[in-house]
Every structure is written in structure tokens, then in C-alpha cells.
Amino acid sequence: ARSVAFEVLSPEQCANLLIALSQVMDDAYRRHPFDQYWVNSLWDRAERLIPPLLSRLEQAGREVVITTMFGEGAAIGWLTKLFRQETFAHGRYGDRARPESDWLFTDAELDHITELILGRYRAMSATDVIRSPNPLSLLFAWRQGGDEQGPRELVEAYTISDEGLVEMLDNLTSTITSSDRGRYHVLKENDLSPFMNFENARQRINNLKEHSDLGERARRLSAAFDTGTEF
């Protein structure tokens, strides 16, 4: 039934739908946030539309759509999720390559996507990164795409100031859910050490706990370093 539904769409309509998804999916998340990695989330359902829509396009049309999506799409958070998944699926990072039948894009297309999205990451300010739906995932995508220095340099430059450090760490926390504590925020060494000196950041935050303006946030972050801060 699904394939039949897409057959009634013209290639131009399929292309327009794909480009539209690349523009709006971050806004959709911001309006009604959800677990971005939840199977059957809005992002997940949008991702499942990609193969049937792309299959309706000729090669030249695919190239134009992919270039437009990853080169210009405003939904950098959703595009980053796709990029990270494909990087792992193709075996370019990690050791769990998936069968080609599970890929959204060909190897050549992923080469092009990598070039496009790394170019966009390098053009982003730290504020742009922080304002994205999942800053930590974006930094890891940038690194896993083949540029380890770029994201580290961006984070280190932004966190020279105490205000920048607090702002960055506020946006790099991970959310944990447990049966005994419920939901809480943590700052994990494995998450932070690729982008900053973990122990130095922890010590700086401890030193800021009595700061007149940053003290409350620093105390919360200090707890997130140690045992996690509950919601």
C-alpha cells in the first residue's frame, strides 16, 4: 500500500517533499520536543519516507535533491541524525556496518553529503551549534565525519570565558532515566573529553560555585559532573 501511495506522486512532488522535510523537521521538534532516538518518533517517521521518495527520482534528480537537502536544509539537527546513522551504517565509523539494503544513500552520495555537511559545520558559530536540537550529537557527527580538530577548536575557543563554559556545558548534558531516580542530567567524560579537557572543565565549574552571577548554574553543573542533576 505504501509503494502504491508514492507511485501517484510525480518525481517533482517527491523531490519537493524531501526538500521540505530538510527545512522543517527541526522546527517540528522545537514545537513539540520528543526523544530524538525513539523509534516511531516524528523524525524517525520522516526518515522512513526517504527511500520511497528517492526511488521515484532519476539519478540527476537524486543528486540535486541530496545537494539541496544537506547543503541548504534548515533542519540541521535532523540532517545530522541522518548523517550520523549513515556514517555508522556504511562502516565509516565504528565496526558495525549494515547491509547496503539498509542504507539510505549510496557510498558516492555519502561522500558528497559528508563534504556538504562538514562545510556547514565549519561555518557554524558556537552559538549556532548550541541552538541546534542536539549540540552533542552535532559535535560527534562533525568528528565522526573525519574532522576531529574542528569541533574541539570551536568548543575550546568558546569556553575560554567562564560564561562560555557554563553555557556550553548546559547544552552538552545527557539525560538519563532510571527506575530509582527518574530523569536526571549528567556530564559524561566520554561525551566531553573529545572536545575539551574534562578535568579542567570540572575544576573550573567547582571554582565558580560561589560566583555572583554564575553560581547557581555552576552548582547544578557540578552536581551533573558528579552524580547527575535531577529534573
Side-chain angles (χ1 to χ4, degrees):
R2 178 179 290 179
S3 61
V4 172
F6 285 104
E7 285 173 6
V8 304
L9 299 176
S10 69
E12 183 180 9
Q13 289 172 318
C14 291
N16 288 340
L17 277 171
L18 286 163
I19 292 168
L21 291 173
S22 76
Q23 293 289 349
V24 305
M25 295 311 297
D26 283 12
D27 285 341
Y29 169 79
R30 290 187 178 98
R31 291 189 180 194
H32 300 285
F34 47 81
D35 183 337
Q36 295 168 17
Y37 297 97
W38 178 52
V39 176
N40 213 35
S41 71
L42 183 63
W43 277 11
D44 184 65
R45 295 199 301 273
E47 178 186 328
R48 292 202 296 268
L49 297 177
I50 293 173
L53 289 171
L54 278 179
S55 71
R56 300 277 292 133
L57 306 181
E58 299 293 338
Q59 184 58 37
R62 282 178 67 105
E63 291 174 3
V64 169
V65 166
I66 289 169
T67 298
T68 305
M69 288 176 68
F70 286 90
E72 303 174 17
I76 194 70
W78 182 66
L79 294 168
T80 290
K81 182 173 184 284
L82 298 180
F83 174 56
R84 283 192 79 188
Q85 289 178 181
E86 286 295 281
T87 298
F88 279 93
H90 287 239
R92 299 189 179 193
Y93 196 87
D95 55 3
R96 297 185 179 180
R98 298 177 64 86
E100 287 190 33
S101 57
D102 291 346
W103 298 357
L104 297 176
F105 307 103
T106 67
D107 251 335
E109 288 168 346
L110 184 55
D111 285 342
H112 187 44
I113 288 167
T114 300
E115 180 183 1
L116 289 169
I117 206 158
L118 288 186
R120 293 186 66 183
Y121 293 158
R122 290 169 182 142
M124 292 174 77
S125 67
T127 302
D128 293 332
V129 172
I130 286 170
R131 289 176 179 170
S132 67
N134 190 333
L136 189 60
S137 182
L138 190 153
L139 291 171
F140 270 107
W142 187 350
R143 187 173 189 269
Q144 291 159 355
D147 181 0
E148 293 191 7
Q149 284 303 113
R152 188 176 184 99
E153 289 172 358
L154 181 100
V155 171
E156 288 181 340
Y158 192 74
T159 56
I160 288 173
S161 71
D162 292 337
E163 292 81 3
L165 177 66
V166 168
E167 184 71 14
M168 182 63 70
L169 290 175
D170 260 342
N171 286 278
L172 296 185
T173 57
S174 299
T175 302
I176 304 293
T177 303
S178 70
S179 56
D180 56 331
R181 291 188 59 186
R183 300 181 73 204
Y184 59 99
H185 291 309
V186 295
L187 287 163
K188 301 179 182 178
E189 184 170 4
N190 287 346
D191 287 345
L192 300 183
S193 59
F195 312 111
M196 65 178 71
N197 184 307
F198 181 79
E199 287 303 329
N200 179 263
R202 186 209 293 262
Q203 187 58 53
R204 286 177 63 192
I205 289 297
N206 282 336
N207 293 341
L208 288 171
K209 286 194 288 188
E210 304 307 318
H211 190 284
S212 58
D213 295 325
L214 300 172
E216 182 179 346
R217 295 170 74 188
R219 288 189 290 274
R220 187 174 68 249
L221 289 168
S222 180
F225 269 114
D226 295 331
T227 59
T229 303
E230 296 184 10
F231 276 56

